[in-house]
Amino acid sequence: MSTHTAPVPLALPHHRLLHRLTTRRNALVSLCTAFLAVVTLAAVLAPWIAPQDPNSIDFSTALTDPSVHRLLGGDISGRDTLSRLLIGARTSLLGPLFVVVLSTATGLLIGVTAAWRGGVVDTLLSRGSELLLAFPGLLLAMLLVALYGRGLLAPVLALSLAYIPYVSRLARSLALSEMNKPYLASYRIQGFSGRWVCLRHLLPNILAVVLAQSSVNFGYALLDLASLSFLGLGTSPLEPDWGTMVNDGQSAILQSSPLSAAVPCLAIVLTVVTFNVVSERIADTVARRS
């Protein structure tokens, strides 16, 4: 009498498993990149492709269901949800872009200056950056909005100040690491000015890493600005914005019509998630090459 044992399944080779995971990750990044491209293109072309006036109020069409004439229905004031979503994408994407540009440029300048000058300058700039960390970005934005009124300027400035310390600390760390390399010492021995060495060699060598890491801030800035608009501290009520649309849709939810609030919520979530996926991939690629 012979006994037969069940065949033991062979483990998937490590390289094949890694290949599958890499392929799936590449597909996800490609899908997220395509989504961001569509959102950006829609924001740029919004004034021309929006089917209706986003501020046209018609209470007779309030909370209408999606139809051929209104693909995403109407909000509680009878305004076309799709048109407001497209026009609102311009403000919702432009604000975070300004935050990332301002915080990155200022933080890079502070971090490189602190690392290069050292001593008292480094101490003052580093302690100043740490002081900014003590103020939450949203709280600072609320303060500026209370002082200067609603609009995009005050929240953008406040969030830029809140994100500067994160960029400056990264830039300072990278600059200190780069300054320990022999090629920078050789330039200084040859008599080249510190400004020339920084602009021509130090800054270009750390710029890619700083930009890659700073791009992650875009999603967080989008969430923060949308939160301020939801609280009524962002753009004016007449200017379409995804956060404002969520706020306007609260009362519609109580009337069993959640679409006008769900659509901008979904747009915010998908944009933030996809941008984080793409930016993290960029950061990983830059880190491997540096």
Side-chain angles (χ1 to χ4, degrees):
M1 180 177 180
S2 60
T3 59
H4 298 279
T5 58
V8 178
L10 297 177
L12 189 65
H14 177 70
H15 69 277
R16 290 181 59 188
L17 178 60
L18 183 62
H19 176 71
R20 287 188 179 183
L21 293 176
T22 303
T23 302
R24 291 179 180 179
R25 186 181 180 187
N26 291 338
L28 176 62
V29 173
S30 300
L31 181 62
C32 292
T33 303
F35 176 82
L36 289 177
V38 171
V39 172
T40 303
L41 186 63
V44 172
L45 301 178
W48 296 277
I49 64 177
Q52 299 182 24
D53 182 358
N55 293 321
S56 178
I57 296 176
D58 184 4
F59 289 106
S60 63
T61 60
L63 301 181
T64 53
D65 295 327
S67 63
V68 177
H69 300 290
R70 290 193 168 188
L71 297 180
L72 296 179
D75 65 4
I76 197 167
S77 299
R79 296 169 296 191
D80 183 42
T81 301
L82 177 59
S83 299
R84 292 182 63 79
L85 185 72
L86 292 173
I87 299 296
R90 298 167 67 88
T91 305
S92 300
L93 297 180
L94 196 60
L97 179 61
F98 286 152
V99 171
V100 171
V101 170
L102 290 175
S103 61
T104 301
T106 308
L108 192 60
L109 177 62
I110 293 174
V112 171
T113 302
W116 187 264
R117 299 300 297 269
V120 178
V121 176
D122 184 14
T123 301
L124 291 176
L125 292 178
S126 299
R127 298 297 85 78
S129 296
E130 293 174 359
L131 183 62
L132 287 177
L133 288 174
F135 294 93
L138 290 179
L139 184 60
L140 186 59
M142 293 178 185
L143 177 61
L144 290 183
V145 170
L147 292 175
Y148 299 106
R150 296 182 61 171
L152 193 61
L153 180 61
V156 165
L157 290 178
L159 293 179
S160 298
L161 289 174
Y163 290 165
I164 283 175
Y166 302 102
V167 180
S168 64
R169 294 171 72 178
L170 173 63
R172 178 181 177 275
S173 176
L174 293 172
L176 288 174
S177 176
E178 196 73 17
M179 287 170 60
N180 292 327
K181 297 182 179 179
Y183 80 94
L184 284 182
S186 66
Y187 280 120
R188 301 186 70 177
I189 293 174
Q190 295 176 46
F192 290 99
S193 66
R195 180 179 300 177
W196 185 88
V197 175
C198 282
L199 293 178
R200 291 294 300 272
H201 297 281
L202 176 61
L203 188 59
N205 287 338
I206 69 171
L207 185 60
V209 178
V210 172
L211 291 179
Q213 294 295 331
S214 295
S215 64
V216 180
N217 292 337
F218 183 93
Y220 298 114
L222 195 156
L223 280 177
D224 289 339
L225 290 173
S227 300
L228 289 171
S229 296
F230 175 79
L231 296 174
L233 300 173
T235 57
S236 64
L238 296 179
E239 187 174 359
D241 180 87
W242 289 349
T244 305
M245 291 178 65
V246 176
N247 187 16
D248 294 339
Q250 287 185 101
S251 54
I253 296 177
L254 299 178
Q255 300 182 38
S256 301
S257 182
L259 189 61
S260 59
V263 167
C265 280
L266 187 61
I268 293 172
V269 171
L270 289 178
T271 303
V272 171
V273 171
T274 53
F275 198 92
N276 283 346
V277 170
V278 174
S279 59
E280 288 179 3
R281 178 60 179 273
I282 294 173
D284 291 343
T285 303
V286 171
R288 286 197 299 267
R289 292 180 178 178
S290 60

